[in-house]
Amino acid sequence: MTAMLLFMLLAMAELSLAQSCDRNGPALMNEDTCRQAEKAAVPNHKQQSTEGASQTKDLVASTTLGHPAAALIDQTREMADFASSESSFHTKDRAMVSRVRHLTSSNFSHLSPNDEQVLLAFRDSMRQSQSAAMANWTNANQNDPCTWVGVTCQGQRVVELQLSGMNLEGEITPLIGNLTFLSTLNLSLNSIYGRIPPQLGQCRNISILDLRTNSLSGFIPIEIGQMQNLTTLWLSNNNLSGPIPVEIGLLQNLQELQLGNNSLTGRIPASLGNCTSLVQSLTLNRNFLSGGIPPELGKLTRLWYMDLSQNNLKGNIPPSLTNCTSLLGVWLGNNPLTGSIPIEFGISKQLHYLDLSGNKLTGNIPVELGMMSQLLSINVGTNHLTGRIPSSLANCTLINYIQLDNNQLIGHIPIELTTLKSLISLDLSRNRLIGNIPSSLRNCTSLTSLFLNNNELTGKIVFEFVYE
């Protein structure tokens, strides 16, 4: 009975193959195979069961890769596994089931033909590469595309392309947009040039897009805003130009945005404030961005690091940035920012790094900065700051670096700064400081760099060096 049930299931698989010929024609199966399927679909009760088994084996062997009937045959294989455990199962039947199991496991590809064509097109677009990474990227008749270097499949689709640092050189084929099940595309640390194809926007399952450190040029395609599952967007260290697309603000799941070290122009889109899932970093440094810093960035309350340095940003520093209470580091240096340092930074209890250097800031250094108990580094050098150095900075007991150089600061060096045991570097040069150099600076036992030149200071200090 078990053997009879097995043959019935295999006959159903044959019928499915014949129907597929009807629907799909020779695109999926050749004419001989279709004729075999049609013949097998009409039972001939005069034939012996052994002849039926032989036809079944031939039909399965001639089935083309990835055929829809494969699922039914897989079910037959499971039935065969059960049947083979029965003591009453005939030895000849068991051998036939073993043959079916082998055929179904080796002759049915797990990759759709469309995805394979895209992979081959991508390989061809990298013809100039000197890398051996794609040495095994050959036709699927010779090996399985899911075994190719950097390719990960799930079911019948490609879900990952991990080709970072493979010495690839060439352009990204627009056909890559057909890999619609792709979740990770990592082509970083290569020599890929040309534009980012807008067709990438069709890959709406992508969560990680890493194209950093290449030679990509042209605009960032606005179609990236369609990739709603995107959590990581790394395009830094390229030659990208034009504005930052406002459509990036549509990416509600975005956690990390790195666009630094390009040639981007225009304003920072206020829409980035809508990316409230940004947690790790917002990096726009070393571009040609202009205009003001959008106050809307203050809505990024979960953000850890914000780097807008080395641009052409103007205007005041928005106090709303201090609403980003999770910030560990803020870099706004080397912009022509004006106005005063917001006293609201003093409420940033988590802030480790504050760099406002190389701007046109005026006014006093706020005493409230001394409330940043976790501060490790402050750099407000090369501005137009006036007034005295606040002694409250001594409350930042963990601080390693204080850079207040190239301003117009007056008064004495606060004696309280000499209590900072963790201080490694102190730069007060090029100001208008007066009075004696505190001899108690020798108490800063971690101090290795001290710059007091170009002031009106008097006296001297002798450090005692202990060699261990």
Side-chain angles (χ1 to χ4, degrees), residues 15 28 30 35 49 58 60 72 83 108 155 190 201 216 247 260 297 363 378 393:
L15 178 59
L28 289 178
N30 60 41
R35 282 195 294 270
S49 60
D58 293 341
V60 173
L72 181 56
F108 287 94
N190 284 295
L216 294 168
E247 289 79 4
L297 297 186
I378 181 171
L393 290 179

Side-chain angles (χ1 to χ4, degrees), residues 357 359-363 365 379-386 403-410 427-432 454-455:
S357 62
N359 282 287
K360 298 180 180 180
L361 301 175
T362 56
I365 299 175
N379 186 353
V380 295
T382 314
N383 278 286
H384 302 304
L385 299 173
T386 56
Q403 293 179 259
L404 313 180
D405 61 296
N406 199 19
N407 281 287
Q408 299 171 28
L409 301 174
I410 61 173
D427 190 350
L428 308 179
S429 63
R430 291 175 289 174
N431 279 288
R432 299 177 182 178
N454 294 87
N455 281 288

Side-chain angles (χ1 to χ4, degrees), residues 148-283:
W148 294 351
V149 171
V151 178
T152 301
C153 302
Q154 184 175 336
Q156 296 183 340
R157 305 304 302 268
V158 174
V159 294
E160 289 188 9
L161 273 183
Q162 296 272 11
L163 296 169
S164 176
M166 296 290 188
N167 294 320
L168 302 180
E169 184 178 356
E171 299 188 61
I172 302 173
T173 172
L175 292 177
I176 202 165
N178 292 331
L179 297 179
T180 53
F181 277 67
L182 204 61
S183 64
T184 298
L185 178 60
N186 185 352
L187 305 178
S188 62
L189 305 171
N190 284 295
S191 300
I192 299 173
Y193 53 85
R195 295 177 177 270
I196 300 173
Q199 290 81 357
L200 263 180
Q202 301 170 21
C203 302
R204 301 190 181 184
N205 289 306
I206 285 187
S207 61
I208 298 175
L209 179 58
D210 188 354
L211 305 179
R212 60 197 160 103
T213 315
N214 279 287
S215 300
L216 294 168
S217 58
F219 289 9
I220 300 174
I222 62 175
E223 288 79 4
I224 283 181
Q226 301 172 8
M227 304 164 75
Q228 291 298 306
N229 290 319
L230 206 58
T231 61
T232 301
L233 179 57
W234 287 346
L235 304 178
S236 54
N237 301 320
N238 279 287
N239 299 317
L240 298 172
S241 57
I244 299 173
V246 296
E247 289 79 4
I248 291 180
L250 300 173
L251 303 176
Q252 296 296 308
N253 295 308
L254 195 63
Q255 297 179 14
E256 193 164 6
L257 177 61
Q258 294 189 7
L259 306 178
N261 197 19
N262 279 287
S263 299
L264 300 174
T265 56
R267 294 176 173 269
I268 299 174
S271 63
L272 294 185
N274 298 327
C275 300
T276 53
S277 294
L278 276 173
V279 175
Q280 298 186 29
S281 65
L282 171 61
T283 310

Side-chain angles (χ1 to χ4, degrees), residues 3-72:
M4 183 64 69
L5 179 59
L6 175 62
F7 289 127
M8 290 175 65
L9 288 171
L10 287 170
M12 292 171 63
E14 294 165 354
L15 178 59
S16 174
L17 291 170
Q19 290 172 343
S20 180
C21 285
D22 233 5
R23 292 190 302 267
N24 302 307
L28 289 178
M29 301 172 59
N30 60 41
E31 294 182 2
D32 291 338
T33 303
C34 288
R35 282 195 294 270
Q36 289 180 10
E38 291 168 356
K39 181 178 180 181
V42 181
N44 187 345
H45 298 291
K46 295 183 180 180
Q47 295 177 338
Q48 298 297 320
S49 60
T50 55
E51 294 175 349
S54 176
Q55 291 177 357
T56 301
K57 289 187 290 182
D58 293 341
L59 179 58
V60 173
S62 64
T63 305
T64 57
L65 300 178
H67 197 276
L72 181 56

